[in-house]
Amino acid sequence: AAGLKPTIEAIKLKKDIALANKETLISGGPVINPLVEEYGVNMLPADSEHSAIFQCLQGVPEGGLRRVILTASGGAFRDLSKDELFRMCEDDPRAVQAKATTHPNWDMGAKITLDSATMMNKGLEVIEAHYLFGASYDDIDVVIHPQSIVHSMVETQDTSCLAQLGWADMRLPLVYSVSWPHRLKMPYRPLDLAELSTLTFSKPDVEKYPCIGLAYEAGRAGGTMTAVLNAANEAANEMFRDDVGLGFLDIPKLIEGAMEAHKDDLKINDVVLDDILSCDEWARQYVEEHAKNLTNKKIFL
């Protein structure tokens, strides 16, 4: 949530926001969205999936959106079954750690690459889509699309499905976020569907990827719960990468524990910045303290 304060200050200066740091909106949505409306600025997505949704919505009239469909590469473990992944976590945690920080399609930073492996990245994007486009969580779906060509889709009220396609290249969504509503001529490689030949889609295994369910749960709870989800994930993600002995499957355990512990203190209405920052700090402390005492408790979602 490092981008939260600078984003708020930029909004107060009536600057349009090209949002690349999704954690800002996930943590601070209850504060950010009212400010965007109050100061009359535009918040334009700069990440590939939400840029795709935004592009698909151009020309769709108000009330015309029926469903958002977020595509996901599936991350480092997409070709393993749940049982194979869990067995690998038990038998060869070093191999899991190495694989979890290597993305099959995108060249991204270590934190996001690990989020992709746990699919928390997609869970966070579900929450971001809710705040950006006003879609209900019941109307946001996730599909695995290994080729990373269809960057996301929208379904309109008449069941038409609109998709944005392109190579796995972050330049296009970044350019569109700062040039909207214009379309600039760019020297990028054109998409060749004949070269691709096949595009595939499948449902994610929510038992294999419990972080998806945790993100939906946090989003539906609303208020400060998404800030707790985000901060707990950031803390657990960092500990895993720092090689302090945290297992891959411990990441969702810690996040789930933080969310459960926060339920009694959950604030839904009149959330202010200090509430977000306080919950962020608390969740990080929770993860640090409870990482030392993990059990093998099964996660039920």
Side-chain angles (χ1 to χ4, degrees):
L4 187 55
K5 287 183 177 180
T7 301
I8 289 174
E9 291 306 311
I11 292 170
K12 290 179 177 179
L13 292 172
K14 297 188 176 182
K15 303 293 184 181
D16 287 342
I17 307 296
L19 188 68
N21 175 10
K22 67 173 66 69
E23 290 82 3
T24 293
L25 195 56
I26 291 153
S27 290
V31 175
I32 293 288
N33 274 9
L35 286 174
V36 167
E37 184 173 352
E38 178 183 351
Y39 287 91
V41 302
N42 294 306
M43 181 160 287
L44 307 166
D47 60 333
S48 62
E49 293 84 358
H50 297 86
S51 175
I53 296 163
F54 182 62
Q55 292 179 61
C56 290
L57 286 173
Q58 302 305 300
V60 174
E62 185 176 352
L65 176 64
R66 182 174 186 169
R67 184 166 57 118
V68 168
I69 305 168
L70 287 162
T71 55
S73 69
F77 302 111
R78 67 188 182 197
D79 296 326
L80 299 180
S81 69
K82 178 194 71 173
D83 291 340
E84 288 171 335
L85 173 58
F86 287 12
R87 191 179 309 116
M88 187 178 179
C89 289
E90 184 175 344
D91 296 343
D92 198 351
R94 282 293 179 188
V96 170
Q97 186 173 43
K99 192 172 180 64
T101 52
T102 305
H103 196 278
N105 292 1
W106 297 88
D107 183 11
M108 306 185 294
K111 191 267 183 186
I112 299 177
T113 299
L114 178 55
D115 277 347
S116 180
T118 64
M119 285 203 68
M120 177 56 88
N121 193 45
K122 207 54 50 179
L124 296 177
E125 288 174 5
V126 167
I127 298 169
E128 184 182 9
H130 167 76
Y131 282 127
L132 280 173
F133 307 114
S136 162
Y137 287 102
D138 292 337
D139 298 326
I140 305 173
D141 291 341
V142 173
V143 296
I144 303 292
H145 172 50
Q147 295 81 17
S148 294
I149 295 297
V150 178
H151 297 300
S152 277
M153 298 171 270
V154 301
E155 182 183 56
T156 55
Q157 294 292 356
D158 59 5
T159 72
S160 290
C161 195
L162 309 177
Q164 190 267 327
L165 284 70
W167 299 116
D169 186 338
M170 280 302 301
R171 291 178 297 177
L172 176 58
L174 289 168
V175 166
Y176 191 66
S177 70
V178 296
S179 63
W180 175 83
H182 306 289
R183 289 284 187 177
L184 304 183
K185 186 175 179 63
M186 303 302 294
Y188 305 151
R189 176 188 173 198
L191 184 65
D192 186 340
L193 291 176
E195 177 185 336
L196 289 167
S197 178
T198 302
L199 299 176
T200 59
F201 304 89
S202 62
K203 289 185 177 181
D205 183 341
V206 293
E207 292 184 357
K208 176 182 173 183
Y209 299 114
C211 286
I212 297 176
L214 292 172
Y216 273 98
E217 182 183 336
R220 288 187 171 108
T224 53
M225 188 62 83
T226 54
V228 168
L229 171 91
N230 180 68
N233 176 65
E234 286 188 358
N237 180 305
E238 184 177 5
M239 292 183 72
F240 179 84
R241 290 182 287 114
D242 285 347
D243 195 19
V244 296
L246 193 69
F248 183 77
L249 299 179
D250 293 333
I251 295 173
K253 289 180 183 180
L254 287 166
I255 298 167
E256 184 185 34
M259 289 172 55
E260 186 66 30
H262 181 61
K263 285 181 178 178
D264 289 340
D265 298 316
L266 174 64
K267 186 175 182 180
I268 300 293
N269 300 314
D270 301 320
V271 177
V272 298
L273 178 59
D274 284 345
D275 296 324
I276 300 296
L277 297 178
S278 175
C279 287
D280 184 279
E281 182 180 2
W282 172 86
R284 293 174 194 275
Q285 292 174 349
Y286 177 95
V287 168
E288 183 177 353
E289 293 169 3
H290 287 78
K292 304 169 186 176
N293 304 308
L294 283 171
T295 69
N296 291 321
K297 178 176 72 72
K298 183 176 175 62
I299 299 176
F300 293 96
L301 298 176

